Amino acid sequence: MYKYVLKRLGMMIPVILGVTVIIFLILSYSPGDPARLVLGEMASEESVEMWREEHGLNDPVSLRYVKYMGNIAKGDFGTSYKTGRPVSTEIFQRFPITFRLATIGMIVALLIALPLGIVSAVKQYSLIDGVATIFGMLGIAMPSFWVALMMILIFSLKLGWLPSNGIEGWKSLIMPAISVGFGCCANIMRITRSSMLEVIRTDYIRTAKAKGVKNKDIIGKHALKNVLIPVITVAGLQFGAMMGGAVIAETVFSWPGIGTYMITSIKAKDTPAVMGSIICFCVAFSLVNLVVDLIYGYIDPRIKANYK
């Protein structure tokens, strides 16, 4: 097992290198001068040139990239052009906020999607199945920022039940978590329903029913394990997407997470901050996929045997 984990961790290196190359080139050749954005339009040419020389922006792009990755290998993510603070400090302070938001959103999505998808499949073509299908279509069709704005309008401005921004108290988590997890919940529900429909039509389920096994035991002990494999796959991918998609929720609800930090840095063309944020998201997404693969082994012994 540990060899498999080490192999997957080693595969993260080319992924991170490829992502950093693309992002670094985009930032380097995109319009805008970081020196002017930091010093202002009224700064003299001498000051701008001195600032560019100090931060190595006059060097060729390839040399700047090599220097940057060399510093990354030493654990130095550079200093933000805009704030003057170490990027690693900013990321370590903000990443737990984004991770907490994505985690709570995923928990909310799973608690709703799994039971709804299972019941919808077991009672196919019933009223609850129709309601679940409509819910899934709405969840996929409605963008997260629209859901967030509607919740602010209803629950904050009209009813005054929940705070519209900030991260103080558990109430401030409700609307951001729902806005992030709403689309994910719909996707997981649809996958759960379709997987359960496929499983309950297999021969071994028919055999269990013929032997008189209770329906709840058939679903809970036999069908659910096979259903969980595709559900966990989708949930893992959705969790990584939720961490990136939390940018919208953080912007709407004024959360000081890493998504807001990255958007602000992109506007200022703050290359070290943007690169540090992207690397953080890339590593987190790769680790989530690794955890998903390890969970496979505990659900299905056949997969665990392949690890060995």
Side-chain angles (χ1 to χ4, degrees):
M1 179 70 75
Y2 71 93
K3 292 183 179 180
Y4 174 79
V5 174
L6 292 176
K7 181 180 178 181
R8 287 298 302 268
L9 292 176
M11 291 171 61
M12 290 170 55
I13 297 176
V15 172
I16 294 174
L17 287 175
V19 171
T20 53
V21 167
I22 295 173
I23 301 301
F24 197 88
L25 290 176
I26 291 175
L27 291 173
S28 298
Y29 290 109
S30 61
D33 186 357
R36 282 293 178 188
L37 293 173
V38 173
L39 299 178
E41 294 297 331
M42 302 302 294
S44 63
E45 288 295 333
E46 292 80 6
S47 300
V48 171
E49 190 63 27
M50 186 180 300
W51 191 93
R52 291 180 59 84
E53 187 66 31
E54 180 183 352
H55 290 82
L57 296 181
N58 291 329
D59 297 333
V61 174
S62 57
L63 179 60
R64 283 158 47 198
Y65 177 77
V66 171
K67 287 182 178 180
Y68 178 79
M69 294 307 296
N71 293 331
I72 290 293
K74 300 175 184 177
D76 181 11
F77 285 79
T79 303
S80 172
Y81 295 160
K82 186 176 181 180
T83 64
R85 298 183 62 192
V87 173
S88 57
T89 302
E90 296 275 6
I91 290 175
F92 289 142
Q93 289 178 350
R94 295 170 179 267
F95 182 76
I97 298 174
T98 300
F99 184 78
R100 180 175 60 178
L101 177 59
T103 302
I104 296 175
M106 178 56 68
I107 292 173
V108 171
L110 289 174
L111 289 177
I112 297 174
L114 284 177
L116 189 59
I118 292 172
V119 174
S120 176
V122 173
K123 298 185 177 181
Q124 190 180 15
Y125 303 127
S126 64
L127 177 62
I128 191 171
D129 184 29
V131 172
T133 302
I134 294 174
F135 170 77
M137 294 175 64
L138 290 175
I140 295 173
M142 291 191 297
S144 59
F145 73 87
W146 187 85
V147 175
L149 292 174
M150 289 300 102
M151 285 194 298
I152 290 176
L153 180 63
I154 297 172
F155 297 108
S156 293
L157 298 181
K158 296 292 184 181
L159 301 176
W161 291 351
L162 300 172
S164 61
N165 54 41
I167 57 173
E168 297 296 331
W170 62 270
K171 287 186 177 180
S172 62
L173 285 168
I174 296 176
M175 291 197 297
I178 293 176
S179 66
V180 169
F182 187 68
C184 174
C185 177
N187 282 319
I188 294 177
M189 189 278 298
R190 288 165 61 88
I191 292 297
T192 304
R193 180 183 181 275
S194 60
S195 300
M196 181 60 73
L197 284 174
E198 183 178 351
V199 169
I200 61 178
R201 292 168 180 168
T202 54
D203 292 336
Y204 78 94
I205 295 295
R206 294 193 186 97
T207 303
K209 288 181 179 180
K211 289 182 177 180
V213 180
K214 294 181 179 179
N215 195 44
K216 64 177 182 179
D217 292 333
I218 293 175
I219 300 299
K221 295 181 179 180
H222 300 284
L224 188 57
K225 285 188 177 181
N226 289 322
V227 170
L228 285 179
I229 295 295
V231 170
I232 290 174
T233 302
V234 173
L237 295 174
Q238 288 289 322
F239 185 77
M242 285 169 67
M243 293 188 64
V247 173
I248 299 174
E250 290 174 5
T251 303
V252 174
F253 294 102
S254 300
W255 272 49
I258 194 171
T260 306
Y261 178 63
M262 183 175 66
I263 292 297
T264 306
S265 302
I266 291 174
K267 293 179 181 178
K269 206 177 179 182
D270 190 345
T271 301
V274 176
M275 292 293 294
S277 302
I278 293 296
I279 291 174
C280 181
F281 278 131
C282 184
V283 172
F285 191 83
S286 299
L287 291 177
V288 168
N289 286 332
L290 175 60
V291 171
V292 168
D293 286 346
L294 295 178
I295 292 175
Y296 287 163
Y298 290 99
I299 294 177
D300 192 339
R302 296 170 297 179
I303 299 177
K304 189 175 182 179
N306 292 332
Y307 293 159
K308 297 178 182 180

